Amino acid sequence: MKRFYKKAAAEPVAGMDGLYQVVLDGRPIKSPAKADLILPGKALAEAVADEWEAQGEKIQPAAMPLMTYVSTAVDRVEPQREAVAAEIASFAASDLLCYRADRQPDLVEKQEAAWTPMLQWAENRFGGSFTVTNGIMPVAQPNTTLMLVAREVGRLDSFQLTALHTMTTAMGSLILGFSVFDAHKTPDEAFELSLIDEDHQADLWGRDEEAEARRARLKEEVRSAQRLISLLGTA
């Protein structure tokens, strides 16, 4: 799409304290589903406006991750917030960090060193215990833990859920997603922890170009989602 505006900016929404919108040549933008794109805070609105302002002669949606996230929050998450929260919470039942190798002692050692401290952090964070197993056969997590996790996820608003969902799916771990959400780990630190198995196999058999491209894309998604979280916490 060709750029059709000269100036992008953030403006407060009249009569709605603390809420902002992005305007293109003075006209508020809408979400892809034509909903009003009302954003919680000046910092987030300015960051989205900056993405629009940075566009060249042609608009490149892929270069506007924050715009994508806020649109997703408004169009897809808010109308079904409880269902999205339940989907995110369900990752706790099969979190990556709970599944360890069973026939590769050197990999088990790496997993133990990297993941066990994260599980301990998560148990303190949520107030429940996680069950660890060796192999790929499913293991049931304590119902109390699953309920505690679901309660925490259910407290988040649509923008926070969008960010957490992105990170959780990118890393295959709700625990790692929350570690970034809580600023316990940086996006890069958490993402590297999610790749213990992948890195071990790559060290044995070599790296694949397609896998490396996917890895770079997912890493950037985690970074962008963390930026959304940080902007939500800024007035």
Side-chain angles (χ1 to χ4, degrees), residues 85 88-92 95 97 118 121-123 125-126 130 145-146 148-157 160-161 163-169 171-187 190 222 226 229:
I88 296 172
S90 70
F91 273 81
D95 198 280
L97 306 193
M118 289 304 305
W121 171 83
E123 290 178 343
R125 167 66 171 81
F126 297 111
F130 288 87
T145 300
L146 298 179
L148 290 168
V149 170
R151 184 182 66 182
E152 291 299 302
V153 176
R155 291 173 173 171
L156 306 182
D157 65 31
Q160 293 170 323
L161 286 173
L164 184 59
H165 187 276
T166 298
M167 296 189 297
T168 297
T169 54
M171 296 187 286
S173 169
L174 179 60
I175 292 172
L176 291 178
F178 257 110
S179 76
V180 178
F181 189 94
D182 288 359
H184 176 68
K185 292 291 183 182
T186 67
V222 176
Q226 187 277 334
I229 293 168

Side-chain angles (χ1 to χ4, degrees), residues 83-118:
V84 173
E87 179 185 345
I88 296 172
S90 70
F91 273 81
S94 56
D95 198 280
L96 169 70
L97 306 193
C98 295
Y99 289 82
R100 311 295 173 84
D102 58 352
R103 297 181 181 178
Q104 303 178 70
D106 48 349
L107 176 55
V108 172
E109 184 176 345
K110 292 177 183 179
Q111 293 170 332
E112 173 72 20
W115 291 353
T116 297
M118 289 304 305

Side-chain angles (χ1 to χ4, degrees), residues 17-227:
D17 187 42
L19 299 182
Y20 285 75
Q21 59 191 352
V22 175
V23 297
L24 304 179
D25 295 336
R27 300 181 62 180
I29 63 174
K30 299 275 189 178
S31 73
K34 308 304 180 185
D36 292 332
L37 204 61
I38 307 300
L39 305 179
K42 183 179 181 180
L44 177 57
E46 287 181 337
V48 175
D50 287 345
E51 289 185 340
W52 283 95
E53 187 68 15
Q55 297 298 298
E57 292 184 2
K58 290 186 177 180
I59 297 174
Q60 304 290 339
M64 296 193 288
L66 291 175
M67 177 62 190
T68 298
Y69 290 149
V70 298
S71 296
T72 298
V74 171
D75 286 346
R76 301 176 60 185
V77 177
E78 181 58 29
Q80 51 179 349
R81 199 183 69 81
E82 291 185 3
V84 173
E87 179 185 345
I88 296 172
S90 70
F91 273 81
S94 56
D95 198 280
L96 169 70
L97 306 193
C98 295
Y99 289 82
R100 311 295 173 84
D102 58 352
R103 297 181 181 178
Q104 303 178 70
D106 48 349
L107 176 55
V108 172
E109 184 176 345
K110 292 177 183 179
Q111 293 170 332
E112 173 72 20
W115 291 353
T116 297
M118 289 304 305
L119 279 178
Q120 293 171 343
W121 171 83
E123 290 178 343
N124 290 330
R125 167 66 171 81
F126 297 111
S129 62
F130 288 87
T131 302
V132 175
T133 188
N134 294 89
I136 60 174
M137 293 301 293
V139 60
Q141 297 297 334
N143 286 333
T144 299
T145 300
L146 298 179
M147 291 174 62
L148 290 168
V149 170
R151 184 182 66 182
E152 291 299 302
V153 176
R155 291 173 173 171
L156 306 182
D157 65 31
S158 296
F159 295 93
Q160 293 170 323
L161 286 173
T162 299
L164 184 59
H165 187 276
T166 298
M167 296 189 297
T168 297
T169 54
M171 296 187 286
S173 169
L174 179 60
I175 292 172
L176 291 178
F178 257 110
S179 76
V180 178
F181 189 94
D182 288 359
H184 176 68
K185 292 291 183 182
T186 67
D188 288 4
E189 287 171 342
F191 189 71
E192 292 305 313
L193 287 173
S194 76
L195 297 173
I196 297 294
D197 292 0
E198 184 177 314
D199 283 343
H200 180 78
Q201 297 305 321
D203 289 342
L204 292 176
W205 308 108
R207 297 191 177 274
D208 175 78
E209 184 176 337
E210 184 175 338
E212 289 298 296
R214 175 180 177 275
R215 173 175 178 154
R217 175 179 58 81
L218 293 175
K219 187 174 186 177
E220 194 56 40
E221 286 183 6
V222 176
R223 288 174 171 175
S224 298
Q226 187 277 334
R227 185 169 181 235

